[in-house]
Amino acid sequence: MGSQSRGRQSIWTLFALGCLFLLGGCSQNDPRRSVTLWHQMVPRDRVMLDKLVEEFEAAHPEIDVRTLYKETEELRSGFQTAALAGIGPELVYGPSDVLGTFHAMGIVGDMSPWVNSEEAGEFVEGALTYLPDPNDSEHRMLLQVPDRFGNHLALVYNRKFIAEPPATTAEMVDLAVANTLDTDRDGRQDRYGLVWNFVEPFFAIPFLTGYGAWVFDESGQPVPALDSPESVSAYQFILSLQQEHGVVPRNCDYETADSLFKSGKAAMIINGDWSWTDYLETEGIDAAIAPLPVVSATGKPMAPMISPKGYSLNALVSPQAAEDAMQFVQFMTSAESQRKFMELVRILPSRKKLLDDPLIREDPTLAASKEQFDRGRIMPVDIEMRAVWDAMRPPYQTLLGGNTTPAAAARQMQQNALHSIEIIQQESAGTAFLWLWQLAGLAICGSLVFWQRESLLGLLPDMRRQPFAYLLIAPALIVMFATVVFPFFYNVLLSLSNMSLHNFQEWSIVGLRNYLDVFTEAKFFGVLLKTLVWTVVNVVFHVGIGVALAIALNGPIRGKPLYRVLLIIPWAVPAYITALTWRSMFHYDYGAVNLLLGEFLGIPPLNWLGEPGLAFTACIVANVWLGYPFMMVIALGGLQGIPQELYEAARIDGANRWQQFRNVTLPLLKPVLAPAVVLGGIWTFNNLNVIWLVSNGGEPADQTHILVSYVYKAVFSFYRYGYGAALSMVIFVLLLAVSLYSLHRTRATESVYT
């Protein structure tokens, strides 16, 4: 007994010494104070960023600046999550359009103590972003100090095809028509006159402003004004470019437009300042930048939205960290730093005196950018702007697909915007019966403990007998608790809360209100039905193709190892690469699918990505390609475990191949396939990647969503965190019930030979 005790003591002593060693190694902190910056700068910008960081650290040796690049949505969602946990970077860098959301959540701090009125006067009007202080009606918080203006659209043209840029839309149409050519007369255009991200409403804004429309009314409040005669005229003109003049390709998304212009297959492109340097440096084209033309029908210039880009301060940082971060911001937004960026990447600076710099007048790109900037309108930062974008997108894409009229599309946009704003602004008070929910939670926990009382009572003695074994599995248990158990119960708690945009940090329990919203939501049952169709069709094809190929590979065929490798490739290639490849293959003009259908079957091109039914079918085809190898491998393993004597006995009894398959193969494959089918159904039901990437986020008009993508949009577009958590719990319960029923019905866990 004493030796066992000493053994256990030695084990725990070694464990404690190991922990002390690790803690001691981690305790050697850098004496410098750190400032972390999350940014969205492109590679060329990062070169100058790194140089300026080195200069700042040389002048401030006590501060260590750490930069981390993140994609747009990753930065936004990551910063929200980090701020919710009370951590995150001291600074974030990006465009100003998200500041209204961050402000409503209370996660960006006031920078005005470091920028007095004299310093603020050195910036261009509209550069500094101010919003009302929720705690002081007379004070406006400074939420961003910019180092540039960006995100504004302009016209880029290839001087090999167009000598001078168009001054009016009539000239633009004439040039586009003259440069839309089918040189080999095969019915497909070899060059288009004009391309841009045709399916994204942001790129339609210059047309709206050119016709005198705007997203909000003139009251000064964020009230949508999407259903106006001016808007209808703008949409009619956009539609005519494709349907009447034929100068814009179908399904012309960002990647298509960008690729066509870079390859010399488009004479003009409308794109933002982030892309101009690439076009100017692309070999084989002679690109130049020009302001967007004046609308011939109104005499008004096409005015894109312009947005300052700059630095915002985390509201949750300590006073010392805020002081260090603002020293870095002041250095990065100084006239000297902005001019260095201007020289390298041709940005449009945010300081007044730099707009008169000779470099802007002498550089054609900067001169055109400045002229376009003077015509532009500042993008609103109100939280309602996110609702407007989501409201515009479905009707706009329906219009471009030829399934509605401009007037009906504008009317639907207005209705959608008002409804979306109501959802975003919705606030729910906490329940008065919080004690009842707390009691219910305690009762559930107590019931679980009582249910597992025998196991728990036997756990402690077993830990004393085998401490080393429990020590070995402790890391795995900790990881499982941190990544599975805790998130699950936290999600259950959120599903009972009012967590949303306005209750981001101080949410409270509202009971089953979110579940009631889920089941009374008009779209829920339609999306659920579509999800069931998506799952059943995919799993049927996965199993059918997989089993058929497994039977073929299990037979006496030559080159079996080669076929196995080739057939497993769809499973081996990353899903996002496969999904994007299939999306390009379904393109109307240049996709391999339409080319093959036309070449071998004489079928005219199908608008795979522009029609809801065809887009959903395209997603299914891509997912079938991705999923059949898994079922093939599972079935092949099961086939190789079936004794050949059973087939010999069946042949002696006179059974044909079909009878052998039905009475021998299928029953013996059932224990292998049934769990795989359940697992495949769960994966398919929750497969966000294929739907999101092939359909580009539910396009067209949000008609290809399944439940998991619907949850994603509800959470990240409308900030309905409690609703999203409730919907995810509904999905969990559905999948759990179907899985348990399927396994019980098929008796998959029973022995094969019983």
Side-chain angles (χ1 to χ4, degrees), residues 437-454 456 489:
W437 286 100
Q438 292 173 336
L439 185 62
L442 290 174
I444 292 173
C445 292
S447 301
L448 289 174
V449 171
F450 181 78
W451 178 39
Q452 295 294 326
R453 62 189 183 281
E454 294 182 2
L456 293 173
F489 286 102

Side-chain angles (χ1 to χ4, degrees), residues 530-582:
K530 189 172 294 183
T531 307
L532 294 175
V533 172
W534 156 265
T535 304
V536 171
V537 172
N538 272 288
V539 172
V540 167
F541 277 101
H542 289 167
V543 175
I545 297 174
V547 170
L549 291 173
I551 292 174
L553 288 175
N554 197 47
I557 60 173
R558 293 182 179 181
K560 188 181 298 185
L562 177 62
Y563 290 134
R564 285 180 178 175
V565 172
L566 293 177
L567 290 172
I568 208 172
I569 284 177
W571 195 28
V573 175
Y576 73 92
I577 293 178
T578 302
L580 292 175
T581 301
W582 274 103

Side-chain angles (χ1 to χ4, degrees), residues 183-345:
T183 55
D184 55 9
R185 301 187 181 280
D186 62 351
R188 291 189 297 272
Q189 304 296 350
D190 298 294
R191 189 170 80 214
Y192 282 96
L194 177 65
V195 294
W196 77 88
N197 191 352
F198 198 61
V199 297
E200 182 58 44
F202 174 78
F203 287 76
I205 294 299
F207 296 93
L208 292 174
T209 55
Y211 276 88
W214 185 238
V215 291
F216 294 134
D217 63 22
E218 300 300 327
S219 66
Q221 300 298 320
V223 179
L226 303 177
D227 185 13
S228 66
E230 295 82 4
S231 297
V232 173
S233 298
Y235 296 135
Q236 185 63 58
F237 178 76
I238 292 173
L239 201 60
S240 71
L241 292 174
Q242 184 182 80
Q243 295 186 352
E244 180 182 343
H245 303 292
V247 297
V248 182
R250 285 178 176 266
N251 306 127
C252 188
D253 56 14
Y254 187 90
E255 289 74 19
T256 300
D258 184 70
S259 176
L260 288 174
F261 188 75
K262 285 182 177 179
S263 61
K265 294 182 179 180
M268 295 178 286
I269 184 172
I270 298 173
N271 212 344
D273 61 337
W274 60 85
S275 65
W276 300 344
T277 302
D278 283 343
Y279 296 146
L280 295 173
E281 295 180 353
T282 299
E283 295 183 3
I285 64 174
D286 184 12
I289 318 297
L292 293 167
V294 172
V295 174
S296 300
T298 64
K300 296 180 179 180
M302 294 174 64
M305 284 184 172
I306 56 178
S307 173
K309 297 176 71 174
Y311 301 86
S312 297
L313 180 67
N314 189 334
L316 305 176
V317 298
S318 66
Q320 182 61 62
E323 184 67 37
D324 294 340
M326 288 307 300
Q327 287 190 57
F328 179 69
V329 171
Q330 289 168 341
F331 174 81
M332 294 298 294
T333 58
S334 65
E336 294 77 12
S337 296
Q338 288 192 35
R339 197 179 195 287
K340 291 177 180 179
F341 263 111
M342 189 169 65
E343 291 173 350
L344 179 66
V345 293

